[in-house]
Amino acid sequence: MFKNKRNLLAAGVLLLIIVATITASLWLKFPPTHIDPEARLLSPSGKNWFGTDHFGRDIFGLTIVAARVTLFVGVVVALLSTVLGTITGLIAGYYKKAEFIIMRIIDGMLAFPALLLALALVAALGGNVTNIIIALTFAFWPVMTRIVRSAVLQVNNIQYIEAAKTTGTGDLVILFRYILPNVLSPIIVQGTFIFAKAILAEAALSFLGVGIDPSTPTWGTMLQESQVYITIAPWFSIFPGVAIVITVLALNMLGDGLRDAFDPHKKNQKKSTKKLFRNRKQKYA
Amino acid sequence: MLQYTIRRLLSLIPVMLIVSIIVFLIVHLTPGNPAYLILGEDSSQESIEQLEVQLGLDKPMVVQFFSWIGNVLTGDLGQSVYSSEPVTQIIIDHLGPTFSLMVISLVLTLLVAIPTAIFVVWKRNTALDPIFISISLLGVSIPEFWFAMLMVLCFGVAIPIFPVAGYIPVAEGAINWFYHLFLPAFVLAAVEIGLVARMLRDGMLESVNQDYTRTAKAKGVKESIVLMKHVFFNALIPTTTVIGTTIAGLLGGTVIIETMFTIPGIGQLLIDSIYRRDYPVIQGVILFIAAIYVLVNLLVDLLYAVLDPRIRYD
Amino acid sequence: MLEVKNLKVHLDTASGIVKAVDGVSFHVKAGETVGIVGESGSGKSVLAHSLMQLNPVPPATYPQGEIIFENRNLLDLKEKELRKIRGNEIAMIFQDPMSSLNPVFKIGNQLMEAIRTHQSMSRQNAEEKALELLKDVGIPDPKSRLNDYPHQFSGGMRQRVLIAIALACQPKLLIADEPTTALDVTIQAQILELMKDIQKKYGTAIIIITHDLGVVAQLADRVLVMYSGRIVEEGITGDIFYHTSMPYTWSLLRSLPRLDSDIHQRLKSIQGQPPNLVDPPKGCNFSPRCPFVTEQCLEVDPSLVDRGNGHRAACILSESEYEERKHEIQDIEREGVEQ
């Protein structure tokens, strides 16, 4: 899984960000809660590496601390979407009768651009961390359902599963012991991508002013506050944005790398001729 | 083909039903009394009751839903609480800028993505491919609004060569129209370019190793023609489905981009309505966007069928 | 017309360099049919593809050897010059007709592409030529079928279309890589019949690559037997079948059902697996699976030895030693059956 250097790098970057934000209070020299009207909108310096914001707070510290809520929202949305999507996907893929109803609802939900659905939900529910999580989960899990269902349909006809069915193994056992392990790789890959998308979406909603309250520092709320000062203090806008890009890029790289690592065809792309031989052999057999 | 089209059209009915239920529920999810939320804290009991009657909130939910859906089917999306204008008219008034923005972005996306993918596949055994993969991953990792901020900073403030706000209708001069929309359209397209080019590249690389590509080479056909004819057209078919998702991405993006570049389109209307708690307009816009998206996906599916003879003749 | 000298083709894979073709020499005369037989993985397809340099690069490299076609070494030619030969002077048909035609273009388009790539011809003339070709390969109602897509054809019909494409420029040499493997048995016979007719009509030389000795017996004038990237026996078809001089060929023949054989005799499969081409065994490559094996075989790598009449075999056993061993094995087997 981590054979690939790129995967290793991406996982390392993510781990670093997570550890940094959790342990922030232990090592940050300038706590981001420290307000200093004298030091408003200072440009980056040896003291304030990323400069200061309109309250004179250290942007470096603020960026580190803001990662907490941002990552928390991302992780929870990814986990909830994965659980919901996996359960509904398994049911839809396994029970023909439930399939029709579940997939029509999913189709309906997928008829909205994800960001708009989340936007409308947050507008209705009100902007706070819990509601953002609910809205984003609602926006992202239908994709997971669709992916899990098509993966289940692919393995459903494999002989040992057919065999398990004919020997009277219970549905739950078949679903969780036989089918789930076989569809795990697309679930993990998609879960990683949802994590990335949730971070982007949270930032966008907060930026539009319908998301998390500006008093809670997230990268999105920081960028929203910075917008007014973009011409006089561009660093205020640049650093939180860079933080988002690095985190989301690491997640996307990891997802992409995992997909390649799980894909038996892609793994051997360099050995394309060998694949040719293998296919030929199968034809003879 | 006719059968396929009919089947596809019929499948829209349950989807649109679910869509309308979701849109209807969005407003009714609102904690507390919508009329109270719309009018604000210091409104009188009388005016709240009056608004409740106007919005039909005093009736049972199922009745409300069916009367709403009945109106929707006749093209009546209700009345704006803010301006008292019919919602349908408000949406029509805001259509032009959004449509212009989408068209320019889509054209821009395809114009950049297609040649890029072909070039990358042509040079597939060089360092270009991993570089391309990294750039396209970076593209989908940048928040759209932040990229817009950077572009405004670069081309609106530092080197002011593009206008960063406002919209000029085509009727008042196509060049000026394009000039004002170029920067927002470019920002909107940037993310989608990476996605579409990546899909096309993946499809073409798969096609490159297919037997029919070898047949074409064995005929003595030039590598460039093999790529642009045999490989490209086979990769194009699965890529059409991406155009559906691209349009969804663009629709979602317009909300942000229109707000940032002050373009008076559907997206800005939605955000303004959210601030004003103008629920009938919010409902109308969301329903309208979903309907457009469903329609686009229908067209994409039909296009897929037209391009792929295996489906067309089925 | 075609002369291959000491050709080597290596495939650079993640698990090492595969010597897919390891020093092969042979020739093809004008109008002749040469069969190349071997198991899957013996390198025969790579060899066929390398004649037109159609192996994907990477992983394929051509470190050594010459492919002389009409006094030109094809390995020295530039891509542009090579293109003038591909499909024009040398044409190829492939194993799997189901996937060898582009699914999104009409048959007529793909056929006319082959014609117009090498001949400057108006669309109309090309269409007439395409019709003629489809008629030649036995496709009924060719006029309307020009506008059909590949998925509207059966496997056998698609192979006929591919043969028509190959014949578009009346090539001097036609390379057929397992042309019947993917087809039903009845269709196989029709396609082989068609290839015979074509050779009569066009005078094309044919190289037919197959794992099916029956195909070779029907079609080929001469046969090359390939094993682990090398030619291990070569000769006119009759000699290969009736004066076999190499244990591998003998084993191959015994794995085939024959009408004249004793009905009690079982078919004998060849024991073991083809050798690893990244790290081949010491001595003779076939020695680990050879029923004739002697101690010497594990040390000496045999080269092709002339047995007269152009018949050559790569085995260190002399003709008399070979016959003696053969009878011994057959005797042991007979005793086994009687007991």
Side-chain angles (χ1 to χ4, degrees):
Chain A
M1 193 155 117
F2 293 113
K3 255 187 229 160
N4 189 318
K5 267 187 205 151
R6 220 180 55 172
N7 287 3
L8 204 62
L9 178 73
V13 167
L14 286 173
L15 200 68
L16 187 74
I17 294 169
I18 292 168
V19 170
T21 186
I22 290 174
T23 61
S25 57
L26 301 176
W27 57 272
L28 270 184
K29 269 194 219 149
F30 308 101
T33 43
H34 179 74
I35 292 174
D36 180 2
E38 300 279 295
R40 294 177 71 234
L41 299 172
L42 293 180
S43 59
S45 65
K47 184 163 173 275
N48 303 105
W49 295 347
F50 292 181
T52 61
D53 74 353
H54 54 307
F55 292 125
R57 293 180 295 186
D58 179 45
I59 292 178
F60 176 72
L62 216 51
T63 307
I64 297 284
V65 171
R68 268 183 223 168
V69 179
T70 303
L71 290 179
F72 176 73
V73 170
V75 170
V76 176
V77 168
L79 285 179
L80 284 179
S81 308
T82 303
V83 171
L84 278 172
T86 304
I87 291 172
T88 46
L90 282 175
I91 294 172
Y94 192 72
Y95 298 104
K96 278 274 156 284
K97 279 176 194 158
E99 181 181 22
F100 182 79
I101 297 169
I102 292 180
M103 289 326 287
R104 289 300 80 71
I105 294 176
I106 295 297
D107 284 347
M109 291 171 76
L110 285 172
F112 300 91
L115 187 68
L116 281 192
L117 189 57
L119 186 68
L121 282 170
V122 174
L125 295 170
N128 61 46
V129 173
T130 316
N131 288 345
I132 287 267
I133 289 173
I134 293 172
L136 291 180
T137 304
F138 204 70
F140 289 130
W141 71 265
V143 179
M144 184 64 97
T145 308
R146 207 178 245 188
I147 286 172
V148 174
R149 171 182 158 267
S150 61
V152 171
L153 288 182
Q154 272 175 24
V155 298
N156 214 357
N157 295 325
I158 293 177
Q159 288 195 337
Y160 66 87
I161 288 171
E162 296 260 304
K165 279 183 205 163
T166 51
T167 53
T169 314
D171 282 359
L172 276 181
V173 179
I174 292 180
L175 274 173
F176 286 96
R177 288 220 34 209
Y178 293 92
I179 295 182
L180 185 60
N182 279 294
V183 298
L184 217 50
S185 42
I187 293 177
I188 294 172
V189 171
Q190 191 57 32
T192 316
F193 286 140
I194 290 179
F195 192 168
K197 282 184 196 161
I199 291 178
L200 286 177
E202 181 273 314
L205 292 179
S206 298
F207 177 79
L208 287 171
V210 294
I212 293 169
D213 189 83
S215 61
T216 312
T218 71
W219 291 333
T221 55
M222 285 175 77
L223 284 169
Q224 199 229 346
E225 302 217 297
S226 77
Q227 200 188 1
V228 189
Y229 308 102
I230 183 150
T231 47
I232 50 169
W235 54 88
F236 190 10
S237 300
I238 287 172
F239 290 109
V242 171
I244 295 179
V245 173
I246 290 175
T247 312
V248 174
L249 181 63
L251 282 166
N252 279 333
M253 264 165 69
L254 195 63
D256 212 49
L258 289 176
R259 183 169 50 195
D260 286 357
F262 288 138
D263 185 350
H265 297 296
K266 269 219 170 122
K267 216 188 278 180
N268 296 339
Q269 212 163 39
K270 210 188 159 191
K271 298 183 251 175
S272 54
T273 339
K274 218 173 183 185
K275 200 169 105 191
L276 219 100
F277 283 143
R278 206 189 316 130
N279 290 347
R280 222 160 261 175
K281 251 178 218 161
Q282 280 164 359
K283 224 165 259 166
Y284 285 13
Chain B
M1 185 69 196
L2 183 70
Q3 234 185 2
Y4 178 79
T5 313
I6 292 170
R7 212 171 40 208
R8 204 54 198 73
L9 277 171
L10 286 177
S11 73
L12 290 188
I13 295 171
V15 171
M16 281 318 292
L17 184 70
I18 302 283
V19 165
S20 50
I21 291 175
I22 294 172
V23 170
F24 177 77
L25 282 180
I26 283 174
V27 169
H28 294 264
L29 274 175
T30 319
N33 184 338
Y36 174 74
L37 283 171
I38 292 166
L39 293 172
E41 283 170 24
D42 31 62
S43 51
S44 67
Q45 188 63 32
E46 225 168 278
S47 55
I48 288 179
E49 272 167 21
Q50 198 191 336
L51 187 64
E52 275 184 344
V53 174
Q54 189 196 329
L55 296 176
L57 293 171
D58 51 339
K59 295 183 193 109
M61 215 174 300
V62 182
V63 177
Q64 285 184 46
F65 176 70
F66 281 106
S67 73
W68 177 70
I69 215 82
N71 288 339
V72 168
L73 286 175
T74 59
D76 175 13
L77 290 168
Q79 240 182 25
S80 163
V81 181
Y82 173 77
S83 67
S84 304
E85 275 178 80
V87 174
T88 319
Q89 189 56 44
I90 299 179
I91 291 177
I92 292 171
D93 289 345
H94 287 80
L95 221 49
T98 304
F99 184 70
S100 308
L101 188 60
M102 300 266 303
V103 168
I104 297 178
S105 306
L106 192 62
V107 170
L108 215 57
T109 304
L110 298 178
L111 229 50
V112 179
I114 291 174
T116 307
I118 293 178
F119 188 72
V120 168
V121 172
W122 183 40
K123 299 274 177 203
R124 59 188 170 280
N125 292 320
T126 65
L128 188 72
D129 192 58
I131 293 172
F132 163 77
I133 297 276
S134 307
I135 293 177
S136 74
L137 270 181
L138 184 68
V140 293
S141 305
I142 296 179
E144 221 158 24
F145 65 90
W146 184 68
F147 188 57
M149 285 164 87
L150 292 187
M151 287 296 113
V152 168
L153 199 58
C154 285
F155 300 110
V157 180
I159 321 162
I161 47 172
F162 284 107
V164 295
Y167 169 76
I168 308 240
V170 206
E172 291 170 30
I175 294 172
N176 225 346
W177 165 81
F178 181 77
Y179 181 56
H180 274 79
L181 282 175
F182 180 78
L183 201 57
F186 172 73
V187 173
L188 206 47
V191 175
E192 307 301 327
I193 289 171
L195 276 178
V196 176
R198 174 75 194 266
M199 270 292 286
L200 206 50
R201 168 215 170 253
D202 289 354
M204 284 180 76
L205 276 187
E206 199 149 293
S207 181
V208 158
N209 291 324
Q210 295 293 321
D211 287 351
Y212 54 76
T213 309
R214 187 181 56 188
T215 307
K217 261 187 222 160
K219 284 184 204 167
V221 178
K222 261 194 216 165
E223 164 97 6
S224 55
I225 295 179
V226 171
L227 280 186
M228 283 196 269
K229 180 181 169 187
H230 294 271
V231 172
F232 177 71
F233 275 96
N234 274 283
L236 191 62
I237 295 170
T239 310
T240 50
T241 53
V242 189
I243 294 180
T245 37
T246 303
I247 289 176
L250 294 178
L251 277 170
T254 50
V255 176
I256 295 167
I257 299 303
E258 285 178 4
T259 311
M260 294 191 69
F261 289 88
T262 50
I263 297 168
I266 301 282
Q268 204 185 37
L269 173 66
L270 179 63
I271 292 292
D272 287 347
S273 304
I274 287 174
Y275 292 147
R276 294 173 194 146
R277 303 198 171 276
D278 194 346
Y279 287 106
V281 179
I282 299 177
Q283 253 181 348
V285 171
I286 302 263
L287 185 68
F288 177 76
I289 290 178
I292 292 287
Y293 184 33
V294 167
L295 211 65
V296 165
N297 271 325
L298 173 78
L299 292 178
V300 165
D301 274 8
L302 295 181
L303 179 69
Y304 191 112
V306 169
L307 285 176
D308 192 337
R310 284 161 294 189
I311 299 182
R312 198 189 328 155
Y313 285 83
D314 208 9
Chain C
M1 181 180 64
L2 177 81
E3 184 154 21
V4 176
K5 290 180 186 164
N6 195 27
L7 179 69
K8 290 189 180 180
V9 184
H10 289 178
L11 305 178
D12 195 357
T13 68
S15 45
I17 290 175
V18 175
K19 294 174 188 130
V21 175
D22 191 18
V24 163
S25 304
F26 67 95
H27 67 274
V28 179
K29 283 180 264 182
E32 188 183 31
T33 303
V34 173
I36 300 181
V37 281
E39 293 168 286
S40 49
S42 63
K44 56 191 193 304
S45 269
V46 176
L47 173 64
H49 284 88
S50 59
L51 297 180
M52 282 168 84
Q53 288 169 54
L54 285 175
N55 288 311
V57 179
T61 54
Y62 303 89
Q64 207 183 342
E66 289 172 59
I67 301 170
I68 311 283
F69 178 74
E70 313 241 283
N71 306 321
R72 286 160 297 180
N73 182 359
L74 299 188
L75 290 178
D76 289 343
L77 294 186
K78 291 199 191 78
E79 180 65 23
K80 204 175 157 193
E81 297 165 312
L82 207 56
R83 275 208 310 268
K84 282 189 192 141
I85 291 176
R86 281 184 194 147
N88 190 19
E89 294 181 61
I90 306 179
M92 190 155 177
I93 53 180
F94 300 98
Q95 183 184 131
D96 192 350
M98 303 312 268
S99 60
S100 291
L101 286 166
N102 196 326
V104 302
F105 295 109
K106 291 174 180 171
I107 293 299
N109 177 324
Q110 299 188 50
L111 195 47
M112 274 146 68
E113 181 183 47
I115 298 166
R116 294 179 73 187
T117 298
H118 299 288
Q119 302 162 32
S120 52
M121 207 184 260
S122 70
R123 259 196 77 84
Q124 206 180 351
N125 287 345
E127 201 172 311
E128 275 164 30
K129 175 96 203 249
L131 272 177
E132 205 177 297
L133 283 166
L134 285 184
K135 220 178 286 165
D136 278 356
V137 295
I139 288 188
D141 191 17
K143 189 134 195 152
S144 70
R145 305 240 60 180
L146 273 181
N147 288 318
D148 282 348
Y149 286 92
H151 73 277
Q152 293 163 302
F153 286 74
S154 68
M157 284 297 153
R158 286 191 216 185
Q159 194 60 292
R160 285 174 194 266
V161 172
L162 281 159
I163 292 173
I165 287 175
L167 293 175
C169 302
Q170 306 196 342
K172 293 172 183 140
L173 175 63
L174 177 66
I175 302 169
D177 182 13
E178 306 258 13
T180 57
T181 307
L183 303 173
D184 291 345
V185 182
T186 46
I187 310 290
Q188 283 186 12
Q190 291 172 10
I191 294 289
L192 291 179
E193 208 51 49
L194 174 65
M195 289 183 63
K196 272 191 211 167
D197 291 348
I198 277 161
Q199 192 168 34
K200 245 180 246 159
K201 186 168 176 188
Y202 290 78
T204 316
I206 296 179
I207 296 179
I208 182 156
I209 288 110
T210 176
H211 65 287
D212 185 345
L213 286 160
V215 170
V216 165
Q218 262 190 65
L219 225 57
D221 302 319
R222 273 189 312 122
V223 179
L224 311 172
V225 182
M226 266 190 96
Y227 185 77
S228 69
R230 296 179 187 186
I231 290 175
V232 292
E233 186 162 3
E234 163 182 5
I236 56 170
T237 310
D239 279 346
I240 295 291
F241 277 81
Y242 300 108
H243 304 288
T244 316
S245 312
M246 160 73 199
Y248 175 64
T249 319
W250 184 72
S251 310
L252 264 188
L253 285 168
R254 279 173 16 121
S255 65
L256 278 183
R258 289 173 60 152
L259 285 177
D260 58 354
S261 65
D262 182 355
I263 51 164
H264 298 297
Q265 206 177 318
R266 288 195 182 184
L267 293 177
K268 305 288 185 307
S269 62
I270 306 176
Q271 303 292 320
Q273 292 288 319
N276 176 353
L277 293 180
V278 176
D279 184 20
K282 207 177 164 225
C284 173
N285 276 350
F286 188 56
S287 60
R289 305 168 72 188
C290 182
F292 294 54
V293 67
T294 66
E295 256 169 56
Q296 219 188 338
C297 295
L298 304 176
E299 300 295 328
V300 183
D301 192 1
S303 50
L304 281 168
V305 178
D306 213 318
R307 300 271 154 107
N309 194 19
H311 187 181
R312 300 191 298 163
C315 183
I316 54 167
L317 299 177
S318 69
E319 254 170 290
S320 55
E321 282 170 329
Y322 175 90
E323 288 300 320
E324 202 178 301
R325 258 320 259 145
K326 190 170 92 184
H327 289 303
E328 266 175 44
I329 293 169
Q330 282 169 341
D331 286 342
I332 293 167
E333 281 172 358
R334 214 163 290 137
E335 276 164 31
V337 170
E338 276 159 20
Q339 278 168 6

